[in-house]
PDB file of all heavy atoms in Angstrom:
ATOM      1  N   TRP A  67       2.722   0.579  -6.787  1.00 97.00           N
ATOM      2  CA  TRP A  67       1.919   0.108  -5.724  1.00 97.00           C
ATOM      3  C   TRP A  67       1.595   1.232  -4.594  1.00 97.00           C
ATOM      4  O   TRP A  67       1.364   0.845  -3.459  1.00 97.00           O
ATOM      5  CB  TRP A  67       2.560  -1.144  -5.092  1.00 97.00           C
ATOM      6  CG  TRP A  67       2.733  -2.253  -6.107  1.00 97.00           C
ATOM      7  CD1 TRP A  67       3.909  -2.403  -6.858  1.00 97.00           C
ATOM      8  CD2 TRP A  67       1.754  -3.311  -6.574  1.00 97.00           C
ATOM      9  NE1 TRP A  67       3.686  -3.329  -7.700  1.00 97.00           N
ATOM     10  CE2 TRP A  67       2.457  -3.988  -7.579  1.00 97.00           C
ATOM     11  CE3 TRP A  67       0.574  -3.586  -6.194  1.00 97.00           C
ATOM     12  CZ2 TRP A  67       1.893  -5.068  -8.276  1.00 97.00           C
ATOM     13  CZ3 TRP A  67       0.012  -4.671  -6.893  1.00 97.00           C
ATOM     14  CH2 TRP A  67       0.689  -5.362  -7.847  1.00 97.00           C
ATOM     15  N   ASN A 121      13.761   1.341   6.104  1.00 98.00           N
ATOM     16  CA  ASN A 121      13.910   1.207   4.627  1.00 98.00           C
ATOM     17  C   ASN A 121      12.728   0.591   4.008  1.00 98.00           C
ATOM     18  O   ASN A 121      12.699   0.600   2.808  1.00 98.00           O
ATOM     19  CB  ASN A 121      15.140   0.337   4.381  1.00 98.00           C
ATOM     20  CG  ASN A 121      16.305   1.000   5.087  1.00 98.00           C
ATOM     21  OD1 ASN A 121      16.879   2.032   4.751  1.00 98.00           O
ATOM     22  ND2 ASN A 121      16.936   0.285   5.976  1.00 98.00           N
ATOM     23  N   SER A 122      11.786   0.010   4.611  1.00 98.00           N
ATOM     24  CA  SER A 122      10.695  -0.637   4.035  1.00 98.00           C
ATOM     25  C   SER A 122       9.423  -0.735   5.053  1.00 98.00           C
ATOM     26  O   SER A 122       9.698  -0.596   6.162  1.00 98.00           O
ATOM     27  CB  SER A 122      11.059  -2.022   3.512  1.00 98.00           C
ATOM     28  OG  SER A 122      11.022  -2.937   4.664  1.00 98.00           O
ATOM     29  N   GLY A 123       8.325  -0.786   4.291  1.00 98.00           N
ATOM     30  CA  GLY A 123       7.021  -0.804   5.117  1.00 98.00           C
ATOM     31  C   GLY A 123       7.195  -2.006   6.100  1.00 98.00           C
ATOM     32  O   GLY A 123       6.756  -2.003   7.245  1.00 98.00           O
ATOM     33  N   THR A 124       7.667  -3.160   5.650  1.00 98.00           N
ATOM     34  CA  THR A 124       7.816  -4.283   6.526  1.00 98.00           C
ATOM     35  C   THR A 124       8.691  -4.064   7.706  1.00 98.00           C
ATOM     36  O   THR A 124       8.305  -4.498   8.859  1.00 98.00           O
ATOM     37  CB  THR A 124       8.580  -5.489   5.637  1.00 98.00           C
ATOM     38  OG1 THR A 124       7.781  -5.823   4.552  1.00 98.00           O
ATOM     39  CG2 THR A 124       8.807  -6.721   6.358  1.00 98.00           C
ATOM     40  N   GLU A 125       9.731  -3.470   7.529  1.00 98.00           N
ATOM     41  CA  GLU A 125      10.559  -2.999   8.661  1.00 98.00           C
ATOM     42  C   GLU A 125       9.875  -2.116   9.715  1.00 98.00           C
ATOM     43  O   GLU A 125      10.091  -2.202  10.796  1.00 98.00           O
ATOM     44  CB  GLU A 125      11.857  -2.222   8.184  1.00 98.00           C
ATOM     45  CG  GLU A 125      13.107  -2.929   8.177  1.00 98.00           C
ATOM     46  CD  GLU A 125      14.279  -2.016   7.931  1.00 98.00           C
ATOM     47  OE1 GLU A 125      14.520  -1.638   6.793  1.00 98.00           O
ATOM     48  OE2 GLU A 125      14.794  -1.602   8.901  1.00 98.00           O
ATOM     49  N   THR A 127       6.456  -1.975  10.210  1.00 98.00           N
ATOM     50  CA  THR A 127       5.480  -2.672  11.027  1.00 98.00           C
ATOM     51  C   THR A 127       6.138  -3.609  12.027  1.00 98.00           C
ATOM     52  O   THR A 127       5.716  -3.808  13.171  1.00 98.00           O
ATOM     53  CB  THR A 127       4.471  -3.556  10.164  1.00 98.00           C
ATOM     54  OG1 THR A 127       5.244  -4.380   9.313  1.00 98.00           O
ATOM     55  CG2 THR A 127       3.710  -2.492   9.229  1.00 98.00           C
ATOM     56  N   TYR A 150      -2.687  -6.524   5.033  1.00 95.00           N
ATOM     57  CA  TYR A 150      -1.217  -6.846   4.800  1.00 95.00           C
ATOM     58  C   TYR A 150      -0.358  -5.782   5.371  1.00 95.00           C
ATOM     59  O   TYR A 150      -0.634  -4.646   5.274  1.00 95.00           O
ATOM     60  CB  TYR A 150      -0.959  -6.929   3.250  1.00 95.00           C
ATOM     61  CG  TYR A 150       0.482  -7.231   2.919  1.00 95.00           C
ATOM     62  CD1 TYR A 150       1.051  -8.523   3.260  1.00 95.00           C
ATOM     63  CD2 TYR A 150       1.248  -6.261   2.254  1.00 95.00           C
ATOM     64  CE1 TYR A 150       2.362  -8.765   2.929  1.00 95.00           C
ATOM     65  CE2 TYR A 150       2.652  -6.585   2.027  1.00 95.00           C
ATOM     66  CZ  TYR A 150       3.189  -7.837   2.232  1.00 95.00           C
ATOM     67  OH  TYR A 150       4.532  -8.081   1.980  1.00 95.00           O
ATOM     68  N   HIS A 151       0.587  -6.440   6.189  1.00 96.00           N
ATOM     69  CA  HIS A 151       1.405  -5.384   6.847  1.00 96.00           C
ATOM     70  C   HIS A 151       2.985  -5.786   6.658  1.00 96.00           C
ATOM     71  O   HIS A 151       3.780  -5.661   7.571  1.00 96.00           O
ATOM     72  CB  HIS A 151       1.179  -5.559   8.408  1.00 96.00           C
ATOM     73  CG  HIS A 151      -0.286  -5.310   8.811  1.00 96.00           C
ATOM     74  ND1 HIS A 151      -0.731  -4.104   8.629  1.00 96.00           N
ATOM     75  CD2 HIS A 151      -1.161  -6.115   9.276  1.00 96.00           C
ATOM     76  CE1 HIS A 151      -2.102  -4.056   9.089  1.00 96.00           C
ATOM     77  NE2 HIS A 151      -2.364  -5.409   9.442  1.00 96.00           N
ATOM     78  N   GLY A 152       3.129  -6.111   5.375  1.00 95.00           N
ATOM     79  CA  GLY A 152       4.532  -6.559   5.021  1.00 95.00           C
ATOM     80  C   GLY A 152       4.769  -7.957   5.399  1.00 95.00           C
ATOM     81  O   GLY A 152       3.875  -8.728   5.968  1.00 95.00           O
ATOM     82  N   HIS A 153       5.997  -8.461   5.057  1.00 93.00           N
ATOM     83  CA  HIS A 153       6.137  -9.949   5.319  1.00 93.00           C
ATOM     84  C   HIS A 153       6.853 -10.271   6.674  1.00 93.00           C
ATOM     85  O   HIS A 153       7.621 -11.178   6.778  1.00 93.00           O
ATOM     86  CB  HIS A 153       6.973 -10.537   4.083  1.00 93.00           C
ATOM     87  CG  HIS A 153       8.352  -9.967   3.928  1.00 93.00           C
ATOM     88  ND1 HIS A 153       9.436 -10.602   4.463  1.00 93.00           N
ATOM     89  CD2 HIS A 153       8.838  -8.833   3.278  1.00 93.00           C
ATOM     90  CE1 HIS A 153      10.588  -9.835   4.249  1.00 93.00           C
ATOM     91  NE2 HIS A 153      10.207  -8.702   3.446  1.00 93.00           N
ATOM     92  N   GLU A 212      -4.988  -1.612   8.871  1.00 98.00           N
ATOM     93  CA  GLU A 212      -4.930  -0.799   7.694  1.00 98.00           C
ATOM     94  C   GLU A 212      -6.219   0.110   7.922  1.00 98.00           C
ATOM     95  O   GLU A 212      -7.367  -0.401   7.740  1.00 98.00           O
ATOM     96  CB  GLU A 212      -5.059  -1.469   6.429  1.00 98.00           C
ATOM     97  CG  GLU A 212      -3.667  -2.073   5.976  1.00 98.00           C
ATOM     98  CD  GLU A 212      -3.866  -2.713   4.571  1.00 98.00           C
ATOM     99  OE1 GLU A 212      -3.906  -1.957   3.535  1.00 98.00           O
ATOM    100  OE2 GLU A 212      -3.950  -3.915   4.489  1.00 98.00           O
ATOM    101  N   ASN A 217      -5.028  -3.745   0.708  1.00 95.00           N
ATOM    102  CA  ASN A 217      -4.308  -4.998   0.377  1.00 95.00           C
ATOM    103  C   ASN A 217      -5.348  -6.201   0.117  1.00 95.00           C
ATOM    104  O   ASN A 217      -4.858  -7.400  -0.079  1.00 95.00           O
ATOM    105  CB  ASN A 217      -3.336  -5.325   1.221  1.00 95.00           C
ATOM    106  CG  ASN A 217      -2.001  -4.336   1.102  1.00 95.00           C
ATOM    107  OD1 ASN A 217      -1.404  -4.502   0.047  1.00 95.00           O
ATOM    108  ND2 ASN A 217      -1.763  -3.468   1.989  1.00 95.00           N
ATOM    109  N   ASP A 245      -1.459   1.069  10.424  1.00 98.00           N
ATOM    110  CA  ASP A 245      -0.514   0.842   9.334  1.00 98.00           C
ATOM    111  C   ASP A 245      -0.861   1.763   8.132  1.00 98.00           C
ATOM    112  O   ASP A 245      -1.785   1.355   7.360  1.00 98.00           O
ATOM    113  CB  ASP A 245      -0.536  -0.563   9.008  1.00 98.00           C
ATOM    114  CG  ASP A 245       0.536  -1.015   7.907  1.00 98.00           C
ATOM    115  OD1 ASP A 245       1.140   0.036   7.263  1.00 98.00           O
ATOM    116  OD2 ASP A 245       0.639  -2.134   7.506  1.00 98.00           O
ATOM    117  N   GLU A 246      -0.226   2.835   8.066  1.00 98.00           N
ATOM    118  CA  GLU A 246      -0.588   3.946   7.005  1.00 98.00           C
ATOM    119  C   GLU A 246       0.416   3.892   5.933  1.00 98.00           C
ATOM    120  O   GLU A 246       0.830   4.890   5.223  1.00 98.00           O
ATOM    121  CB  GLU A 246      -0.817   5.260   7.566  1.00 98.00           C
ATOM    122  CG  GLU A 246      -1.826   5.366   8.619  1.00 98.00           C
ATOM    123  CD  GLU A 246      -2.791   6.559   8.397  1.00 98.00           C
ATOM    124  OE1 GLU A 246      -3.053   6.827   7.104  1.00 98.00           O
ATOM    125  OE2 GLU A 246      -3.103   7.236   9.301  1.00 98.00           O
ATOM    126  N   VAL A 247       1.105   2.663   5.707  1.00 98.00           N
ATOM    127  CA  VAL A 247       2.098   2.557   4.575  1.00 98.00           C
ATOM    128  C   VAL A 247       1.497   2.887   3.331  1.00 98.00           C
ATOM    129  O   VAL A 247       2.072   3.669   2.444  1.00 98.00           O
ATOM    130  CB  VAL A 247       2.717   1.125   4.704  1.00 98.00           C
ATOM    131  CG1 VAL A 247       3.574   0.973   3.401  1.00 98.00           C
ATOM    132  CG2 VAL A 247       3.574   0.927   5.893  1.00 98.00           C
ATOM    133  N   MET A 248       0.269   2.512   3.163  1.00 98.00           N
ATOM    134  CA  MET A 248      -0.357   2.815   1.814  1.00 98.00           C
ATOM    135  C   MET A 248      -1.224   4.148   1.985  1.00 98.00           C
ATOM    136  O   MET A 248      -1.265   4.973   1.011  1.00 98.00           O
ATOM    137  CB  MET A 248      -1.377   1.679   1.491  1.00 98.00           C
ATOM    138  CG  MET A 248      -1.981   1.850   0.095  1.00 98.00           C
ATOM    139  SD  MET A 248      -3.080   0.476  -0.338  1.00 98.00           S
ATOM    140  CE  MET A 248      -1.930  -0.786  -0.756  1.00 98.00           C
ATOM    141  N   THR A 270       2.653   3.527  11.123  1.00 98.00           N
ATOM    142  CA  THR A 270       3.742   3.233  10.188  1.00 98.00           C
ATOM    143  C   THR A 270       3.496   3.872   8.858  1.00 98.00           C
ATOM    144  O   THR A 270       2.346   3.918   8.302  1.00 98.00           O
ATOM    145  CB  THR A 270       3.804   1.585   9.963  1.00 98.00           C
ATOM    146  OG1 THR A 270       2.547   1.124   9.609  1.00 98.00           O
ATOM    147  CG2 THR A 270       4.181   0.898  11.266  1.00 98.00           C
ATOM    148  N   LYS A 273       5.916   3.718   1.268  1.00 98.00           N
ATOM    149  CA  LYS A 273       5.469   4.130  -0.062  1.00 98.00           C
ATOM    150  C   LYS A 273       5.669   5.675  -0.358  1.00 98.00           C
ATOM    151  O   LYS A 273       6.827   6.153  -0.663  1.00 98.00           O
ATOM    152  CB  LYS A 273       4.142   3.663  -0.320  1.00 98.00           C
ATOM    153  CG  LYS A 273       4.044   2.047  -0.139  1.00 98.00           C
ATOM    154  CD  LYS A 273       2.794   1.442  -0.612  1.00 98.00           C
ATOM    155  CE  LYS A 273       3.182  -0.160  -0.632  1.00 98.00           C
ATOM    156  NZ  LYS A 273       2.301  -0.888   0.214  1.00 98.00           N
TER     157      LYS A 273
HETATM  158  C1  PLP B   1       3.039  -2.100   1.073  1.00 86.96           C
HETATM  159  C2  PLP B   1       2.517  -2.282   2.484  1.00 86.96           C
HETATM  160  C3  PLP B   1       3.381  -2.743   3.544  1.00 86.96           C
HETATM  161  C4  PLP B   1       4.774  -3.304   3.238  1.00 86.96           C
HETATM  162  O1  PLP B   1       5.585  -2.295   2.776  1.00 86.96           O
HETATM  163  P1  PLP B   1       6.997  -2.861   2.065  1.00 86.96           P
HETATM  164  O2  PLP B   1       7.752  -1.496   1.761  1.00 86.96           O
HETATM  165  O3  PLP B   1       6.548  -3.450   0.801  1.00 86.96           O
HETATM  166  O4  PLP B   1       7.769  -3.834   2.911  1.00 86.96           O
HETATM  167  C5  PLP B   1       2.926  -2.741   4.819  1.00 86.96           C
HETATM  168  N1  PLP B   1       1.696  -2.378   5.064  1.00 86.96           N
HETATM  169  C6  PLP B   1       0.842  -1.830   4.146  1.00 86.96           C
HETATM  170  C7  PLP B   1      -0.392  -1.346   4.594  1.00 86.96           C
HETATM  171  C8  PLP B   1       1.248  -1.830   2.754  1.00 86.96           C
HETATM  172  O5  PLP B   1       0.453  -1.383   1.795  1.00 86.96           O
END
Side-chain angles (χ1 to χ4, degrees):
W67 307 87
N121 306 293
S122 72
T124 296
E125 256 190 277
T127 57
Y150 176 66
H151 303 293
H153 62 95
E212 285 185 72
N217 285 296
D245 180 355
E246 298 228 42
V247 169
M248 189 180 283
T270 54
K273 299 191 169 121

